[in-house]
Amino acid sequence: KGYEVEDHWLTTREQTDAFKATHDVRTTPQIFIEGKRVGGHDDLRRHLGLKVADPNVPSYTPVIAVFATAALIALAIGWLTDMPLGLMTVGHFIAVTMMLLAMLKLQDISRFTSMFIGYDLLARHWLPYAYIYPFAQLGAGALMLAGALTWLSAPVAFLIGGIGAVSIYQAVYVEKRTLKCACVGGGSNVPLGFVSLTEDVLMVAMAVWMAAGMAT
């Protein structure tokens, strides 16, 4: 923006703490223009008339990132096994998606459960299920990816996916509630709705497909 920048480095914890106390701020770095404190990064963007992202605005970005990453991993697995495209790749995609989503939930399981019990029908009546859910999702996804213990992974995926699908449909389409989805963890702003429903529908579809394969 045409400014000449002069850096003043805080090289120790003591210097940083003293700087925060002097200027009554919680974070560093802080930007000053012509001797007047502007603030941090977001404050500087506002000062320059640039857009600042609102952390409270609903966004599907976390889900898109998970789905895209899972798709790439599934394609990589297919490439390694000489089956880059086909039903197995779709199965790998669903299994990897389940595991990635479970990982995000397990990063802060308390925040996840707090959001999850707001709409899940079983968790609202039996709280331990909210804590069991991400572990069950992770385990079922891992077993499905490995093609092992289908007799266990398929029923688990069908159960948690079925309950989740019914819960989301009830909350969004019947009760018309506006909620955040706990699908990517408790700290997200992903709206509860069709995209959230997709996660559970995929789990149910995967469970049915694997159960059918086991039966034949």
Side-chain angles (χ1 to χ4, degrees), residues 14-49:
E14 290 75 16
Q15 287 182 357
T16 302
D17 291 341
F19 177 87
K20 290 179 180 179
T22 299
H23 298 284
D24 191 24
V25 296
R26 292 184 299 172
T27 62
T28 57
Q30 292 287 316
I31 296 94
F32 293 76
I33 297 179
E34 296 180 350
K36 181 180 179 181
R37 188 177 68 84
V38 174
H41 175 265
D42 288 353
D43 297 315
L44 177 62
R45 290 187 63 85
R46 294 187 188 96
H47 180 83
L48 298 175

Side-chain angles (χ1 to χ4, degrees), residues 11-114:
T11 58
T12 66
R13 178 79 274 168
E14 290 75 16
Q15 287 182 357
T16 302
D17 291 341
F19 177 87
K20 290 179 180 179
T22 299
H23 298 284
D24 191 24
V25 296
R26 292 184 299 172
T27 62
T28 57
Q30 292 287 316
I31 296 94
F32 293 76
I33 297 179
E34 296 180 350
K36 181 180 179 181
R37 188 177 68 84
V38 174
H41 175 265
D42 288 353
D43 297 315
L44 177 62
R45 290 187 63 85
R46 294 187 188 96
H47 180 83
L48 298 175
L50 301 176
K51 183 179 179 181
V52 177
D54 185 348
N56 297 316
V57 172
S59 172
Y60 289 105
T61 300
V63 176
I64 294 172
V66 169
F67 280 26
T69 301
L72 287 174
I73 293 175
L75 289 171
I77 293 172
W79 183 274
L80 289 172
T81 56
D82 295 323
M83 292 184 294
L85 293 173
L87 287 177
M88 286 301 297
T89 302
V90 176
H92 292 154
F93 165 72
I94 297 174
V96 172
T97 298
M98 291 170 60
M99 296 178 69
L100 292 177
L101 291 172
M103 176 196 68
L104 293 174
K105 296 177 176 72
L106 289 170
Q107 287 184 110
D108 192 336
I109 194 168
S110 295
R111 293 186 69 180
F112 161 72
T113 55
S114 296

